[in-house]
Structures are given as C-alpha cells and as structure tokens.
Amino acid sequence: MASAARRFLARAHELGLIPPDRLREIDLWVESVEGAGRDAALVETLVRRGILTPAQVDAVESSLGRAASVRDLLGDEPGVMLRGGPRCDEGEGAKYDPVAVLGRGGMGEVWLATDREILREVAVKRLLDTEDRDALVRFVFEGQVTGQLEHPNIVPVYELGVSTGDGRPFLAMKRVRGKGLDQVLEAFRRGMPTGLEAVPDGDPEASLSRLVGVFVKVCDAMAYAHSRGVIHRDLKPANIMVGEFGEVHVMDWGLAKVLDRRESPADRSLRTGRGAAGPADPIRTREGDITGTPAYMPPEQARGEIASLSERSDVYSLGAVLYEILSLRLPFEGRLDEVVLKVLRGAFVPPSRASRAPWSIPRELEAVVLKAMSARPGDRYDSVLALRDDVERFLAGRTLAAARYSPWQLVAKWTRRHRTAVLGGGATVAAAVAGLVGILLAASAARRSESERIHDARVAVALERFDRSEGAWRSSTVPFNPASPQEFFLDRLPLAVEMG
C-alpha cells in the first residue's frame, strides 16, 4: 500500500507541480528513507528545498481531502441533463446535494438529493445516531444486503459510504417515482384515482388484474432473494413501491435475515417505543420481542421463533399482501395485542367474506391466499416460485394447485383457453346447417312439384347420418380426463358436425 508521502507526491505530480524527472528523484529518496524506518518529513523537505511553496502544499492537501471527481476531468465542459431531470449546481461540493426530506423514522431519515456526477435525483438514507452501535450495524447490514440483491424488482443501491462532513453513514439508492402499494390500495378504498398510469381506475376487473400483476413482480423479487439465501421478514404493501411507468420495487430490507448466518442484526432484541404492547398500529413495523409487522407476519414470527423462520415465512406474508389486494381489508384487524392473538390462532375471515373491493374476488385466488396463509408452514406453498406459478396459471386461465374443480369447471376453463378452436368448430357446424337449409329452400322454390319427395329423401339421409354418428359417439374409446379434456372434445367434434 502506498504511504502517505507517496500519495502526496503522486497528487502533486497529477496537479503539474512536480515534473516527471524530479518525481523519480524524490520517490527514490522517500523509498530509501522509509526503508530505513525513518519519517521522510516530505512536506517540510519539499518546502525547505523550494520545490513547492506553502500555497502549493495547501492545494495538494486540499485535493487529497476530497475524492477525485468527473467534474475535475470535464473542467468547463457542461454535463448532460435530460428533459425532466433535476436542475443542480455542477460546481464544488459534496457528491450528493440534498434537496428535501422525503421521510424520517426512528433510526434515520431519507433525503431527496441530486447526484452531482451523473446529474440525477437519488434517495439518500442517513443514520441519525452513530453512537447506537446496534443501529449502526443494522444500517450497514441493510446497505450491503440490498446492494447485493441485484434484481429489477428490488430497489437498486448506488453507494454505501460515510459523509465527510459529519461522519454519518449514508445509503444512496434509486429515487422511485410513484406510490407505495398501501397508498394505491387506500385510493381504491376511498374510490379515488390512484394517480398511476400502470393501475387504471375506471374498470374494477382491469384494476384487479393490474394489481395481481404487481403482486407477481413482488414474487419475482422474493424468489430471487430466496435464491441468494435472504428472507425479508417485513413484507407488506407499505414496503412495495409502484412506479409511474409500471416499475415495482421491494423496499426496506432492514429486518432481513440471511439464512447462512447464525444471527442477523435485526435478531437482537431492540426495544423501542413501538415495541410496547397496547393499542399501537398493527400495520407498523415493530422492533422488540417481536420483529416485523403483526398484521402480515406468520405465526412462527409472532411467537418469536427466529430459528424456525424460512422462505415459507415470506410466503405467508405474501399471502397476506394478496389478501389485502383482493379484499382491500387487512387479514387481521383490531388492537395490536388482539391482532397478535389472531395471528397465533390463524383466525382470519376469507377475503371474499370480508371484501370492501369494487371487484369480485375469483375463488381461485382466494384459494391461493388460504394456502399461502396456512398456520402450519408445511401446509403452505413450499416456495415463492410455487406461489407465483399458481397466480400466473390463474392469469393464463389454467388450473391451480390450490383450487378444486368440478368436471364442468374444467370444461369451462378449457373452453376459455381454446376459445378460437371452439368458436371455429361452432362456425363449421353453423355453416353446415346453413348450407343444408339453403339447399332445401332453393330446391323447394325451383321444383315445387317434387317438394315432398325431396323433403322425405333428405330427412331420411339426415336420420341415417345421425344414427351412424350417434353410434360412433357412444362407441368412442377416448375417456374424459379432467386434467386434459381437450382430447375428449376434439375426438367427438367431427361426429358433432356429422350429426348436424
């Protein structure tokens, strides 16, 4: 590692204060002095020998005091500012220029800031109390975990650093333009516009479809996090951001648990005012004997069984989020202590019976919720991928693992999925019938005298064809298979056309 003296020399050379030939000479001298274990006293020597003036020494030390910047390379060349971007001062100053406070919590605050290098808006999270060792460890943990979870539906981290001004750690992240999913759902509860192009307001069924699409993206993020050995432990609509152009980001990984580690910072009992029992808000994150948000947490988390938490714990919380999307109600309501008791008992009303939503709740998605929110982890989906697969099968009109179907429900689903083939078959039958009728009418008009004979003959032919096709229908060996009904119907479709 370069010594302080050599870093000083290198920076003086970069600033053009020491020519190359003199730099090599001084560097050899510093190497010999430091090799003998003595202090080179470089700055004093350079000033004494007239190589640098005191003012030049100050310039070098000032340059070393701040990080090199692309602004130094550009000089007077202006940076690029796209339409709709921030307006900022490209001059001297910290890399992140604070604009306004976006939010403040018990541990930290989030600022809207401008990145002076890239000229974009960012969200900068700052720790308030650096004397709290546990809070400091958790802050760094959150930054490192979130930064390593590189996925389109997880908020990107740009930098984890320490402010040169006050020595506080900060976390620079993408500034997500949009709203929390909790705000979107509240707008639907109140019958107000969501303000997001990605979630339309006018058509209730279309709105539900878009919200379920948001949920699928959250499942994508969590499936990736689980593949990296991370569970979130605080999944809820307030920690899901929906952007103006369809972006979906899972936020706030401060309570995450890394399954490969014996202990995560959030596992420590951090007693705060919000951890006290009483009529506190059950949808706010609790830190204390129970870590998480009671209305969305699984029973094992509510019991404080940290060691037993797994990916299926997040599956439960995702089920609770889907419950609220479907019904616009929390799965558990009441005082904080009442909510925790209901969670422990697994006592919640199915979403279809509690709904305040303007849309009808598909029974299949309700089945997904009931399976994901099973009190016993072993009764839930074994992974987020399995949960997501069932939801995607619903969107595609396929059968779900969580639902039960009668034969006619299977036929109806198959018919909806193969609408074109079914309509095409119906058109064939209709065309055959229309053609037959047309022939009969034309013959009747042209040859009135033979109408009865022609009629009797065609009826006889039709009856013969019907009897022959009906026998073939009854003798067909293709059985009805609820899992794959298409073979049964495709085998009999030609016979149906033949029978008229």
Side-chain angles (χ1 to χ4, degrees):
M1 181 181 293
S3 66
R6 289 188 169 178
R7 287 196 297 272
F8 183 93
L9 272 180
R11 183 54 57 87
H13 175 63
E14 291 172 359
L15 295 176
L17 302 177
I18 299 179
D21 55 343
R22 180 59 66 88
L23 177 67
R24 287 191 293 272
E25 174 187 337
I26 300 173
D27 187 61
L28 288 173
W29 173 77
V30 170
E31 182 179 1
S32 64
V33 172
E34 292 185 341
R38 302 195 309 272
D39 181 8
L42 177 66
V43 173
E44 293 84 350
T45 302
L46 294 177
V47 172
R48 187 172 64 252
R49 295 188 177 183
I51 299 173
L52 293 178
T53 65
Q56 290 173 326
V57 169
D58 289 342
V60 174
E61 290 180 338
S62 175
S63 178
L64 287 170
R66 65 176 176 85
S69 166
V70 294
R71 288 167 282 160
D72 299 329
L73 303 177
L74 285 175
D76 295 333
E77 185 73 21
V80 178
M81 292 185 180
L82 301 184
R83 181 177 57 196
R87 291 291 176 261
C88 64
D89 176 17
E90 296 183 71
E92 294 296 325
K95 179 178 179 180
Y96 300 110
D97 183 24
V99 177
V101 176
L102 293 176
R104 182 176 284 109
M107 263 189 9
E109 59 185 7
V110 180
W111 281 77
L112 171 64
T114 301
D115 184 335
R116 291 175 179 267
E117 303 284 358
I118 302 182
L119 306 180
R120 63 180 173 186
E121 288 185 336
V122 297
V124 177
K125 187 173 184 177
R126 301 173 72 248
L127 183 65
L128 294 178
D129 184 7
T130 56
E131 300 299 321
D132 186 336
R133 179 68 180 176
D134 284 338
L136 176 61
V137 170
R138 284 182 59 190
F139 187 90
V140 174
F141 170 85
E142 178 183 357
Q144 293 177 338
V145 168
T146 312
Q148 292 178 56
L149 293 177
E150 298 177 288
H151 186 274
N153 299 122
I154 297 176
V155 61
V157 170
Y158 301 140
E159 183 180 0
L160 174 63
V162 178
S163 172
T164 56
D166 55 16
R168 293 179 181 175
F170 67 85
L171 189 60
M173 302 171 289
K174 176 180 178 178
R175 193 271 173 104
V176 182
R177 297 178 180 273
K179 295 183 177 180
L181 181 58
D182 60 327
Q183 296 173 298
V184 175
L185 297 180
E186 182 61 25
F188 278 114
R189 288 189 192 99
R190 296 175 178 271
M192 300 173 62
T194 63
L196 296 176
E197 292 292 334
V199 184
D201 308 306
D203 184 344
E205 304 305 323
S207 298
L208 176 60
S209 179
R210 293 291 185 89
L211 290 172
V212 173
V214 169
F215 180 78
V216 169
K217 291 183 180 181
V218 175
C219 289
D220 287 338
M222 293 315 306
Y224 170 75
H226 289 178
S227 76
R228 299 295 305 276
V230 178
I231 58 177
H232 191 284
R233 296 199 295 185
D234 198 21
L235 287 168
K236 57 184 177 180
N239 285 340
I240 299 167
M241 288 294 294
V242 183
E244 295 176 349
F245 300 99
E247 315 98 303
V248 176
H249 290 106
V250 179
M251 315 285 288
D252 200 350
W253 294 79
L255 297 184
K257 180 177 178 64
V258 180
L259 298 176
D260 297 336
R261 288 168 59 111
R262 185 175 60 184
E263 181 185 71
S264 295
D267 293 340
R268 302 165 188 172
S269 182
L270 301 178
R271 300 185 180 277
T272 68
R274 288 180 293 169
D281 191 344
I283 64 171
R284 293 180 67 89
T285 301
R286 277 185 93 234
E287 302 165 347
D289 296 328
I290 300 174
T291 298
T293 306
Y296 304 93
M297 68 171 56
E300 62 270 24
Q301 190 170 345
R303 287 191 294 267
E305 298 172 357
I306 295 173
S308 68
L309 299 183
S310 67
E311 292 91 341
R312 295 190 186 196
S313 303
D314 278 348
V315 166
Y316 181 100
S317 298
L318 287 170
V321 171
L322 184 57
Y323 183 111
E324 188 170 356
I325 288 174
L326 295 178
S327 67
L328 299 183
R329 294 281 297 269
L330 297 176
F332 304 98
E333 296 180 340
R335 289 166 47 93
L336 180 59
D337 51 352
E338 294 172 345
V339 166
V340 173
L341 287 175
K342 291 178 183 178
V343 170
L344 292 173
R345 294 197 304 264
F348 64 89
V349 178
S352 60
R353 289 167 48 194
S355 178
R356 293 178 181 168
W359 46 73
S360 58
I361 297 179
R363 71 172 192 87
E364 293 164 299
L365 288 183
E366 180 168 83
V368 170
V369 169
L370 298 180
K371 183 175 178 64
M373 293 185 66
S374 296
R376 294 179 62 253
D379 294 336
R380 302 170 197 159
Y381 290 97
D382 58 6
S383 68
V384 173
L385 288 175
L387 166 60
R388 184 198 65 185
D389 182 61
D390 247 6
V391 176
E392 288 187 326
R393 290 180 70 84
F394 166 79
L395 294 174
R398 297 182 177 275
T399 56
L400 280 64
R404 297 288 181 268
Y405 300 92
S406 69
W408 288 113
Q409 288 172 326
L410 291 172
V411 170
K413 290 189 76 68
W414 181 87
T415 301
R416 283 193 293 269
R417 287 207 319 275
H418 300 85
R419 189 183 303 273
T420 301
V422 171
L423 291 177
T428 301
V429 175
V433 172
L436 180 61
V437 171
I439 291 173
L440 290 173
L441 291 175
S444 177
R447 305 171 66 179
R448 297 283 183 181
S449 61
E450 298 183 88
S451 61
E452 290 185 4
R453 184 180 62 81
I454 293 174
H455 173 73
D456 292 342
R458 293 194 181 278
V459 168
V461 170
L463 289 174
E464 181 184 357
R465 289 169 57 190
F466 183 91
D467 291 339
R468 184 173 61 250
S469 299
E470 183 184 28
W473 180 289
R474 295 183 182 280
S475 62
S476 174
T477 60
V478 178
F480 179 76
N481 181 2
S484 181
Q486 58 266 37
E487 294 184 12
F488 177 89
F489 290 104
L490 292 176
D491 177 69
R492 287 164 172 76
L493 185 59
L495 298 176
V497 175
E498 180 73 9
M499 293 165 67

